Amino acid sequence: LHEGGTVADVGTTVPDLVAARLSLLPQTALELAQIAAVFGTEVDRDLLIRAAELPPRRFETTLSVLSQRQLVFDDGAVIGFATGMIRDIVYDATPADVRRALHGIALELLSQVSNEPAVLGHHADLAGQAEVGADHLMRAGDRAAHFLDDAGSCTLYQRALRAARG
């Protein structure tokens, strides 16, 4: 109610309430939350700034909207969702084509700062780059097998196979 909704808008579950709160966000704040959600429950502040492509003042203003509504926290170096549930709701409510494009941006930015095959494979697969994703996920499976993580390697190999069949 404080954020501009009505009692009729309030759902019967906490996820419904979070979704209703998200629908009341300004568009740029919702988009920033969606970008952050693609990276997971936490994202490096500089990485999020680069992904958002907003002028510094606008980024800070937009981030403050999310912080004031207690959807995210900002510790200076890391931006994170207040809870994993909020992140999941934001991610699931993001249209598929937008999610795919955001995963492509995440892949591009992360490949500049990391060579972790599981992370790169995850984003490549979800960005629709099946061949690249399969290659990274297969290498991640090899790495997991090397460290005797049988469950992890099986999961990564299966995901690589699904991506290759894409």
Side-chain angles (χ1 to χ4, degrees), residues 137 151-165:
L137 291 166
S153 64
C154 285
T155 300
L156 290 162
Y157 286 141
Q158 287 174 347
R159 190 153 175 215
L161 182 60
R162 278 194 306 274
R165 290 180 177 167

Side-chain angles (χ1 to χ4, degrees), residues 19 22-23 25 27-40 81 85-105 126:
L22 292 173
S23 72
L25 287 173
Q27 186 64 30
T28 51
L30 179 60
E31 290 170 358
L32 185 61
Q34 291 171 338
I35 294 166
V38 165
F39 286 96
F81 284 92
M85 180 187 66
I86 292 173
R87 182 266 171 197
D88 292 346
I89 293 168
V90 171
Y91 185 82
D92 291 342
T94 303
D97 60 328
V98 173
R99 248 193 339 253
R100 203 171 12 265
L102 292 174
H103 277 291
I105 292 168
L126 294 176

Side-chain angles (χ1 to χ4, degrees), residues 107-124:
L107 173 63
E108 180 182 326
L109 292 173
L110 287 169
S111 66
Q112 297 170 11
V113 297
S114 172
N115 62 355
E116 177 56 45
V119 173
L120 297 176
H122 167 78
H123 288 291

Side-chain angles (χ1 to χ4, degrees), residues 26-111:
Q27 186 64 30
T28 51
L30 179 60
E31 290 170 358
L32 185 61
Q34 291 171 338
I35 294 166
V38 165
F39 286 96
T41 56
E42 293 183 349
V43 60
D44 179 78
R45 180 187 194 84
D46 293 334
L47 199 59
L48 184 59
I49 289 170
R50 291 175 57 203
E53 298 180 339
L54 292 172
R57 177 172 274 157
R58 180 127 185 205
F59 176 84
E60 294 301 330
T61 303
T62 304
L63 182 60
S64 71
V65 169
L66 296 173
S67 296
Q68 289 170 355
R69 295 189 183 184
Q70 298 179 342
L71 297 171
V72 300
F73 66 85
D74 176 9
D75 76 1
V78 173
I79 309 297
F81 284 92
T83 67
M85 180 187 66
I86 292 173
R87 182 266 171 197
D88 292 346
I89 293 168
V90 171
Y91 185 82
D92 291 342
T94 303
D97 60 328
V98 173
R99 248 193 339 253
R100 203 171 12 265
L102 292 174
H103 277 291
I105 292 168
L107 173 63
E108 180 182 326
L109 292 173
L110 287 169
S111 66

